[in-house]
């Protein structure tokens, strides 16, 4: 009997070992499928340990046997089951619903019906097909569990190598700025901040700002938005640029590099004398910005008004004489005719007189105004006068009824008036900060510009470009604006940093001279169209009130309230340079004598 029971228990142990090996093979096949299967096995192991802890204890004391043979068989079966569980500790079948129903609850009181011996369901007699189906069911249940269960900790403690993080390519642009790597954000911010200021500061201040920007490593020529990286530059050129040297010649920062051929063709910088060539006394000069009492004729005669007197000075021989002019009112304006034969004299009472320069006597008087005439300009036989009331009159000096037209374009005094050389357009400036451009055939302004913020007295037409007009503002403005009189648009501007009292274009150089009042009282020479300041020097102790250009275009005469009349040779030339004038005006000025010296 003991032999047969031992054989039966051995066969059960072998059967249990075989099933454990089959289960291990299944798990090995599952684990060989990859890392994801290994995680499932670990979940199953954790579930097994969880079920082992929750399974109620099954000891021999809680079970009653009917006979000793049954007792020995149950003990042998329990020992074999314990061996099988030890051998297959990697996995255990989860109890089914029937086993959970038959398992006594230790917390509930036992009844008479529950005192019957309860045997746990034996899986030794189960068929292999049913066993495998049950295993698959348990695997499906394990897979369907959430990651937030009891096996999550074991899963996180897994020693399997972690997946390396994805290497994302660094973004070099976006939908607004395609290429940030090729941009200089500091320089872009500097250019944006100073873009609006460049229209007001002038060329000299712009060059200074460019030098300062270059010193701190900013570029004023770089693009604000860059869509692609710039091409690599020449290292040698960059090295020369950093040291400020180009072929051994110091160069200004941020200026375009010129080729050797351009440098050879470029003219050397012209030297301008900063001391006057001659000084005359002008005792009795009225300190009034709105008057125009100095003019230089084509016959080299300088006319100047000192309070109630008018003097003529011959620059060829140095002789001076006074006009026999008798008036109780001061002289407010002077203007030579285009041929230099007649002089128009405006008086504070509103009367305008025409004087013959050769005979030294008046030939015409034109009345009709009740306010002083502060500005005058000739156009052949027509004299235009601007008055204190803001009106402009055209006078035909050949006829008795001299007034031919009246222009209304200013609501304050007219302090600047200038005809173009061809006589087709007239420019006027007033104390109302307005510049008007008139057509000779109309009595309404063709263009009206109010960009100035101060009185406009200085007006000058360009001799080589008849459509270009320069205008200068007063003490509150300090700007020089350049206008295209065909379109009415502003071409460029200079911030002179001082009151602009007069402007004159050179006839031999593409340059412009400006005279200034407060606060510097200087003479400045500007190149055009670069607008670089060629020269700048103090001229008078007080503000410059009036100026006039010599007929040959070399010398400028200036006068001030310091009672001095000074002559400056700012556009000196040897006579070989051609006159920069339109073909129509070139024939009129071809026979002008050069003012080689002042007597």
């Amino acid at each position: 009997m003991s032999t047969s029971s031992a054989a039966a228990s051995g066969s059960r142990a072998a059967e249990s070992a075989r099933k454990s090996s089959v289960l291990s093979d299944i798990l090995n096949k599952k684990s060989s499928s990859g890392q994801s299967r290994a995680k499932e096995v670990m979940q199953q192991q954790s579930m097994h340990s969880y079920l082992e802890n929750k399974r109620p204890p099954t000891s021999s004391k809680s079970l009653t046997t009917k006979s000793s043979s049954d007792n020995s068989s149950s003990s042998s079966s329990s020992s074999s089951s314990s061996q099988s569980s030890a051998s297959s500790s990697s996995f255990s079948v989860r109890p089914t619903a029937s086993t959970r129903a038959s398992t006594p609850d230790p917390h509930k009181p036992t009844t008479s019906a529950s005192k019957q011996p309860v045997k746990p369901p034996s899986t030794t007699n189960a068929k292999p097909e049913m066993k495998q189906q049950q295993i698959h069911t348990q695997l499906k249940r394990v897979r369907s569990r959430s990651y937030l269960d009891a096996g999550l900790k074991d899963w996180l403690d897994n020693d399997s190598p972690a997946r390396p993080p994805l290497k994302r390519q660094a973004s070099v642009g976006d939908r607004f700025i395609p290429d940030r790597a090729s941009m200089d954000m500091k320089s872009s911010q500097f250019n944006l901040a100073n873009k609006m200021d460049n229209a007001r500061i002038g060329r000299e201040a712009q060059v200074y700002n460019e030098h300062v920007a270059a010193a701190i490593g900013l570029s004023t020529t770089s693009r604000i938005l860059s869509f692609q990286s710039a091409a690599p530059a020449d290292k040698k050129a960059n090295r020369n640029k950093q040291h400020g040297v180009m072929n051994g010649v110091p160069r200004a920062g941020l200026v375009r590099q010129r080729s050797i051929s351009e440098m050879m063709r470029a003219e050397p910088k012209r030297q301008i004398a900063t001391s006057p060539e001659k000084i005359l006394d002008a005792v009795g000069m009225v300190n009034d910005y709105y008057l125009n009492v100095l003019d230089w004729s084509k016959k080299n005669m300088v006319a100047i008004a000192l309070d109630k007197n008018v003097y003529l000075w011959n620059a060829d021989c140095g002789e001076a004489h006074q006009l026999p002019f008798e008036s109780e009112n001061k002289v407010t304006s002077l203007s030579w005719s285009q041929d230099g034969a007649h002089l128009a004299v405006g008086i504070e009472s509103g009367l305008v007189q025409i004087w013959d320069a050769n005979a030294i006597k008046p030939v015409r008087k034109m009345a009709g105004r009740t306010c002083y005439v502060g500005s005058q300009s000739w156009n052949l036989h027509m004299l235009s006068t601007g008055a204190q009331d803001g009106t402009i009159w055209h006078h035909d000096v050949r006829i008795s009824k001299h007034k031919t037209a009246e222009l209304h374009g200013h609501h304050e005094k007219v302090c600047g008036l200038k005809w173009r050389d061809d006589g087709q357009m007239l420019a006027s400036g007033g104390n109302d900060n307005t510049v008007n451009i008139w057509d000779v055939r109309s009595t309404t302004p063709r263009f009206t510009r109010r960009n100035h913020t101060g009185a406009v007295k200085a007006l000058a037409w360009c001799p080589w470009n008849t459509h270009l007009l320069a205008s200068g503002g007063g003490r509150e403005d300090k700007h020089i604006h350049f206008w295209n009189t065909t379109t009415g648009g502003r071409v460029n501007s200079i911030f002179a940093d001082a009151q602009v009292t007069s402007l004159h274009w050179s006839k031999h150089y593409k340059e412009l001279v400006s005279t200034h009042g407060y606060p510097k009282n200087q003479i400045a020479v500007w190149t055009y169209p670069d607008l670089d300041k060629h020269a700048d020097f103090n001229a008078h102790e007080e503000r410059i009130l009036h100026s006039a250009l010599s007929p040959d275009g070399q010398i400028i005469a200036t006068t001030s309230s310091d009672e001095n009349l000074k002559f400056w040779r700012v556009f000196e030339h040897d006579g070989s340079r051609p006159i920069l004038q339109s073909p129509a005006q070139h024939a009129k000025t071809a026979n002008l004598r050069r003012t080689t010296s002042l007597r």
Side-chain angles (χ1 to χ4, degrees):
M1 189 66 179
S2 61
T3 305
S4 62
S5 62
S9 63
S11 62
R12 286 193 295 271
E15 182 68 15
S16 177
R18 185 182 65 82
K19 293 178 180 180
S20 298
S21 62
V22 171
L23 186 58
S24 299
D25 293 338
I26 293 173
L27 294 177
N28 291 333
K29 291 180 180 180
K30 297 292 183 179
S31 61
S32 63
S33 61
Q35 187 177 2
S36 61
R37 188 68 65 187
K39 294 179 179 180
E40 293 178 359
V41 173
M42 293 178 64
Q43 247 186 343
Q44 295 165 7
Q45 291 178 357
S46 62
M47 186 58 65
H48 169 67
S49 60
Y50 175 79
L51 294 176
E52 286 294 328
N53 294 331
K54 293 296 183 179
R55 181 177 296 173
T58 54
S59 62
S60 58
K61 294 181 180 181
S62 62
L63 301 177
T64 57
T65 57
K66 295 182 179 180
S67 59
S68 59
S69 59
D70 295 335
N71 190 15
S72 61
S73 62
S74 62
S75 61
S76 61
S77 64
S78 63
S79 61
S80 62
S81 63
S82 63
Q83 293 176 1
S84 63
S85 63
S87 62
S88 60
S89 61
S90 62
F91 184 76
S92 174
V93 179
R94 188 174 179 176
T96 61
S98 60
T99 58
R100 286 196 299 269
S102 61
T103 303
D105 191 351
H107 301 285
K108 291 183 180 181
T110 58
T111 58
S112 59
S114 63
K115 291 183 180 180
Q116 298 296 329
V118 179
K119 291 180 75 174
S122 177
T123 59
T124 55
N125 296 328
K127 294 183 180 181
E129 294 80 0
M130 296 178 63
K131 184 67 175 295
Q132 292 180 3
Q133 184 177 3
Q134 189 175 7
I135 291 173
H136 286 301
T137 303
Q138 299 300 325
L139 289 175
K140 289 181 180 180
R141 291 179 179 176
V142 171
R143 292 176 187 170
S144 63
R145 289 181 61 84
S146 172
Y147 292 146
L148 302 174
D149 56 6
L152 182 60
K153 183 177 182 305
D154 296 333
W155 196 334
L156 294 175
D157 294 337
N158 187 19
D159 295 332
S160 60
R163 181 183 299 177
L166 295 177
K167 294 183 178 180
R168 296 183 178 180
Q169 186 177 1
S171 177
V172 297
D174 51 40
R175 60 184 296 185
F176 299 107
I177 303 178
D179 193 358
R180 292 181 181 270
S182 61
M183 290 183 58
D184 188 353
M185 301 303 293
K186 293 183 179 179
S187 299
S188 300
Q189 184 179 5
F190 175 80
N191 293 333
L192 285 174
N194 292 273
K195 184 177 181 180
M196 300 303 297
D197 294 338
N198 289 340
R200 297 185 58 86
I201 62 176
R203 182 62 182 173
E204 183 180 10
Q206 291 180 26
V207 173
Y208 174 77
N209 289 344
E210 290 175 357
H211 283 290
V212 174
I216 61 177
L218 299 179
S219 174
T220 58
T221 58
S222 61
R223 295 176 61 90
I224 296 177
L225 288 179
S226 179
F227 294 93
Q228 59 182 0
S229 300
D234 186 10
K235 296 181 179 179
K236 184 176 180 181
N238 290 338
R239 184 168 59 253
N240 291 336
K241 184 176 180 181
Q242 292 174 1
H243 290 83
V245 177
M246 182 64 182
N247 296 330
V249 180
R251 53 184 294 273
L254 305 178
V255 179
R256 181 181 64 88
Q257 293 186 1
R258 299 184 298 173
S259 63
I260 297 177
S261 59
E262 290 177 340
M263 295 180 65
M264 293 179 65
R265 290 195 304 266
E267 298 180 359
K269 186 176 180 179
R270 183 171 55 87
Q271 298 296 324
I272 297 177
T274 58
S275 59
E277 187 169 317
K278 193 176 186 64
I279 302 177
L280 299 176
D281 290 334
V283 180
M285 174 60 63
V286 178
N287 187 9
D288 193 339
Y289 168 81
Y290 300 100
L291 306 183
N292 291 273
V293 295
L294 178 65
D295 201 10
W296 202 328
S297 74
K298 296 293 180 65
K299 294 184 178 180
N300 211 14
M301 294 287 290
V302 177
I304 185 171
L306 302 176
D307 196 11
K308 300 177 183 180
N309 302 312
V310 178
Y311 295 88
L312 300 181
W313 180 76
N314 191 334
D316 290 333
C317 61
E319 294 181 356
H321 56 271
Q322 181 181 356
L323 289 181
F325 176 78
E326 295 180 1
S327 175
E328 297 179 356
N329 300 308
K330 66 180 179 182
V331 178
T332 56
S333 62
L334 295 173
S335 180
W336 284 103
S337 62
Q338 291 175 329
D339 57 1
H342 296 86
L343 176 66
V345 181
I347 307 174
E348 189 176 15
S349 62
L351 181 66
V352 176
Q353 297 183 6
I354 307 298
W355 285 73
D356 189 334
N358 295 326
I360 313 296
K361 65 179 182 179
V363 296
R364 182 72 188 268
K365 293 182 180 180
M366 297 180 294
R369 291 187 179 273
T370 58
C371 56
Y372 76 82
V373 176
S375 58
Q376 302 181 72
S377 182
W378 284 85
N379 182 16
L380 298 178
H381 56 271
M382 184 169 62
L383 175 65
S384 298
T385 59
Q388 186 181 12
D389 59 359
T391 61
I392 300 173
W393 286 11
H394 292 332
H395 307 269
D396 191 340
V397 298
R398 301 173 302 177
I399 58 179
S400 59
K401 295 182 179 181
H402 53 85
K403 181 181 177 182
T404 59
E406 182 175 348
L407 310 181
H408 297 271
H410 300 275
H411 59 270
E412 290 191 30
K413 63 183 69 175
V414 179
C415 50
L417 204 61
K418 186 72 68 175
W419 276 100
R420 198 166 68 178
D421 289 340
D422 59 0
Q424 299 300 313
M425 303 192 77
L426 173 69
S428 64
N431 195 35
D432 55 357
N433 311 337
T434 303
V435 176
N436 286 326
I437 301 172
W438 309 81
D439 192 286
V440 68
R441 299 161 295 184
S442 176
T443 58
T444 57
R446 184 175 181 179
F447 299 108
T448 299
R449 295 294 175 263
R450 295 182 173 88
N451 296 73
H452 289 286
T453 58
V456 182
K457 176 185 177 182
L459 296 170
W461 290 93
C462 181
W464 67 85
N465 184 357
T466 57
H467 303 291
L468 184 61
L469 173 69
S471 63
R475 182 173 53 187
E476 302 300 327
D477 182 64
K478 304 178 182 179
H479 276 80
I480 302 173
H481 293 320
F482 299 88
W483 309 94
N484 185 337
T485 57
T486 302
T487 62
R490 186 176 59 176
V491 179
N492 216 322
S493 296
I494 299 175
F495 180 67
D497 198 21
Q499 180 186 39
V500 183
T501 59
S502 64
L503 295 171
H504 300 280
W505 291 94
S506 172
K507 299 179 180 179
H508 300 87
Y509 305 94
K510 289 192 174 182
E511 295 177 350
L512 177 76
V513 60
S514 60
T515 63
H516 301 275
Y518 300 127
K520 298 182 179 180
N521 313 322
Q522 83 274 25
I523 295 176
V525 180
W526 312 84
T527 62
Y528 192 87
D530 296 333
L531 304 182
D532 294 328
K533 185 177 286 187
H534 193 152
D536 187 1
F537 52 91
N538 293 331
H540 289 266
E541 295 179 359
E542 300 291 336
R543 64 174 178 174
I544 300 175
L545 296 172
H546 320 289
S547 69
L549 189 66
S550 64
D552 66 346
Q554 292 191 70
I555 302 174
I556 182 174
T558 60
T559 184
S560 170
S561 58
D562 60 4
E563 299 184 341
N564 286 321
L565 176 61
K566 298 182 180 181
F567 297 86
W568 312 83
R569 194 175 292 272
V570 293
F571 298 127
E572 183 177 10
H573 66 91
D574 56 1
S576 61
R577 299 187 63 87
I579 298 178
L580 299 177
Q581 286 185 337
S582 61
Q585 296 297 320
H586 180 71
K588 298 180 181 180
T589 57
N591 297 324
L592 288 176
R593 297 191 309 273
R594 291 179 55 246
T595 308
T596 56
S597 63
L598 296 175
R599 303 296 181 186

